[in-house]
Amino acid sequence: MPATVIVGAQWGDEGKGKIVDLLAQHSDVVCRYQGGPNAGHTIVVGDETYKIRALPSGVVRGKPCVIGNGCVVDPEVLIAELDEFERRGHPSCEVYLSGNAHLIMPWHLAIDQASERRLGKLAIGTTRRGIGPCYADKAMRLGIRVQDVLDAKILRQKIEVALAEKNLWLERVYETEPFDLETVAAKYEGYAQRLRPLVADTSLYVDRALRDGKDVLFEGAQATLLDLDHGTYPFVTSSNPVAASAATGVGIGPQRIDRVVGVAKAYVTRVGEGPFPSEIEGDEQARMRELGAEYGTVTGRERRCGWLDLVALRYAVRVNGIDHLALTKLDVLSHFAELPVCIRYRTPDGVEMGDFPAHQSDFHAARPVYEVLEGWNEPLDGCSSVAELPAAARGYVEFVERELDVEVMLVGTGAERSSVLTRA
Ligand code: GDP
Ligand code: IMO
Ligand code: MG
């Protein structure tokens, strides 16, 4: 398929990196279209583990990588990642960085941290990587963009103008240290020298690739329920991870997208605050966390764990237009004798609903209605296709397909790159 979007169908960390790495084998270009270094995408290749934050995951397969205009870029993180890939034997990373992407500046990190501290019990639980403040400046038309690094004088001027306001906020509102113009300007001029050769017209590049019949992957970061418009606001990120955003985040028309693949865990995790109806109560949650190694890739925080939520997943199918699903981490469920799956929500007045609530207060009050499926109690290591799964595991996959009316095209059975089953 020429243009395929890979999108997180839950609250993030579904295993998007691994699925992108798999599909990248047969692709010519891989693009990120939103988000920034709040993402942590893991790829395990034998003894090597890559935790990728800024680059598209296609970098591990040596594919040309596009960072689209919809992304926010922390130059320090991007440069460190490029250096790391070079050290690890990928010297010729081909990276095309949109001049329209916004730069994360030091004050974005400081404001993200200070505002979370200030919110106290109402904190969102952000990754504190400056994402929200950077996108806020973009919307306020105060941002500094990648293309501003092309001219040292313009870059310095923009930093000076921004600092005049940001330092007031930092000192008077957040009561933290201001930034020194000379220090920031010198640091970003250093980054600018590294970034300049990467800056490209990425919309034109991707358009040409598609016209030439090449296969292009669009790698979502974060996920549907963290989407600024469609997620569980305000406990969301500040960009649009949903599939349609691949078009605006790279600069192609929406009709160019041929296929949308949703990535979902066979259960659910969430990092940070916010409602989570199918969150597991009691000791079983810690057990799931240990079995699934559910600790944040970026922040190391414990991920909250829950049973598979088909109401939320049905919603993700709708808002993304998901054609196929990749169901990851099925192996983690091998350790449970019974597998509750949330099929509906129940409101406090006893009404059951199969569709995701449209309003925040209804979602906060929603309680899960479970159907309990039987476990399979055996490892999945020996299986080489979905057809070879134990009957109960196949039943689990087919239950998901029936409930959502979407085909599961891939099933994850382990962290390693090769631990994934196709239908055939
Ligand atoms: P992403 O942000 O969506 O790319 O996901 P993360 O990399 O943050 O988190 C997924 C975690 O699960 C990583 O540690 C992966 O190595 C791991 N993983 C991915 N697929 C599977 C799978 O099928 N089984 C198991 N056990 N681990 C997996
Ligand atoms: P990947 O791409 C899981 C969560 C944070 C917080 C909220 C807002 O690896 O799936 P932000 O720093 O974006 O302002 O934080 O979003 N969050 C993620 N959770 N995986 C991610 O990325 C996430 N990126 C942000 O925990 O709840
Ligand atoms: Mg992640």
Side-chain angles (χ1 to χ4, degrees):
M1 281 276 189
T4 301
V5 181
I6 313 295
V7 63
Q10 295 161 328
W11 274 282
D13 304 325
E14 297 91 347
K16 298 176 290 292
K18 181 179 155 185
I19 300 301
V20 168
D21 171 68
L22 179 81
L23 300 182
Q25 287 178 93
H26 310 292
S27 303
D28 301 294
V29 180
V30 185
C31 314
R32 278 274 306 264
Y33 58 86
Q34 46 69 231
N38 45 348
H41 296 180
T42 315
I43 298 167
V44 180
V45 186
D47 297 336
E48 294 266 343
T49 298
Y50 298 90
K51 295 183 181 221
I52 307 176
R53 298 175 54 199
L55 291 164
S57 299
V59 64
V60 180
R61 300 269 184 195
K63 300 293 172 167
C65 287
V66 170
I67 300 177
N69 56 275
C71 297
V72 288
V73 178
D74 184 329
E76 187 174 347
V77 176
L78 175 60
I79 291 165
E81 204 159 279
L82 288 167
D83 289 345
E84 188 195 336
F85 270 92
E86 194 166 332
R87 259 199 323 276
R88 295 176 74 172
H90 302 260
S92 55
C93 281
E94 201 182 320
V95 178
Y96 300 88
L97 173 59
S98 169
N100 288 353
H102 280 246
L103 288 176
I104 297 177
M105 304 300 291
W107 50 85
H108 293 139
L109 290 133
I111 292 171
D112 199 357
Q113 282 159 23
S115 76
E116 282 284 275
R117 259 200 314 275
R118 218 155 199 262
L119 281 168
K121 270 167 60 181
L122 298 175
I124 292 162
T126 73
T127 60
R128 302 190 173 204
R129 295 307 189 270
I131 307 299
C134 184
Y135 277 113
D137 276 356
K138 173 179 176 177
M140 287 281 283
R141 294 150 297 177
L142 289 171
I144 300 180
R145 294 188 294 174
V146 165
Q147 61 185 280
D148 296 324
V149 306
L150 295 174
D151 183 320
K153 208 163 136 219
I154 290 179
L155 180 62
R156 193 192 149 90
Q157 266 172 10
K158 295 216 168 180
I159 293 174
E160 188 171 8
V161 170
L163 268 184
E165 187 192 311
K166 297 299 173 190
N167 276 344
L168 279 179
W169 277 89
L170 285 168
E171 288 185 289
R172 301 214 186 145
V173 178
Y174 293 115
E175 295 170 339
T176 61
E177 293 299 304
F179 287 95
D180 169 55
L181 170 63
E182 296 310 323
T183 314
V184 178
K187 196 166 164 192
Y188 272 68
E189 177 48 30
Y191 296 150
Q193 290 184 24
R194 288 290 304 276
L195 297 185
R196 276 179 200 129
L198 310 181
V199 181
D201 184 341
T202 47
S203 161
L204 187 63
Y205 177 78
V206 173
D207 182 67
R208 285 197 176 139
L210 289 171
R211 279 176 201 280
D212 289 346
K214 297 202 167 146
D215 282 347
V216 181
L217 282 184
F218 299 87
E219 174 180 359
Q222 293 78 54
T224 308
L225 293 158
L226 292 172
D227 185 280
L228 183 57
D229 288 77
H230 302 287
T232 50
Y233 192 91
F235 301 101
V236 293
T237 191
S238 299
S239 68
N240 290 112
V242 293
S245 176
T248 50
V250 168
I252 56 162
Q255 80 282 24
R256 306 296 292 280
I257 296 169
D258 297 292
R259 176 172 71 150
V260 178
V261 176
V263 186
K265 270 180 197 169
Y267 50 99
V268 187
T269 61
R270 174 165 206 173
V271 202
E273 303 307 319
F276 185 4
S278 67
E279 185 165 15
I280 299 171
E281 287 167 13
D283 298 342
E284 289 247 287
Q285 175 164 175
R287 192 163 161 245
M288 174 88 88
R289 182 177 305 119
E290 290 311 311
L291 290 167
E294 297 296 356
Y295 296 90
T297 313
V298 174
T299 57
R301 286 179 291 175
E302 287 186 350
R303 293 177 180 151
R304 299 156 67 193
C305 298
W307 301 113
L308 185 62
D309 180 344
L310 291 176
V311 181
L313 205 47
R314 191 174 295 118
Y315 176 69
V317 168
R318 163 157 54 104
V319 298
N320 292 293
I322 290 173
D323 297 303
H324 302 280
L325 270 178
L327 198 65
T328 61
K329 304 192 93 159
L330 192 67
D331 52 303
V332 176
L333 297 186
S334 300
H335 303 272
F336 295 86
E338 292 191 326
L339 301 168
V341 174
C342 173
I343 49 168
R344 287 186 295 279
Y345 293 157
R346 186 181 292 117
T347 65
D349 42 15
V351 179
E352 293 195 3
M353 51 169 100
D355 285 316
F356 198 75
H359 298 135
Q360 182 186 6
S361 45
D362 295 333
F363 183 60
H364 276 254
R367 291 289 158 263
V369 177
Y370 288 116
E371 180 155 337
V372 179
L373 305 189
E374 58 173 317
W376 43 93
N377 294 308
E378 57 177 300
L380 306 178
D381 303 333
C383 306
S384 54
S385 76
V386 175
E388 287 182 20
L389 284 170
R394 226 171 35 246
Y396 192 87
V397 173
E398 286 163 4
F399 185 80
V400 172
E401 289 181 314
R402 263 199 316 279
E403 287 282 322
L404 303 178
D405 197 21
V406 171
E407 189 204 25
V408 173
M409 67 179 241
L410 297 167
V411 172
T413 56
E416 218 281 331
R417 174 187 257 180
S418 58
S419 300
V420 60
L421 310 179
T422 55
R423 296 302 304 210

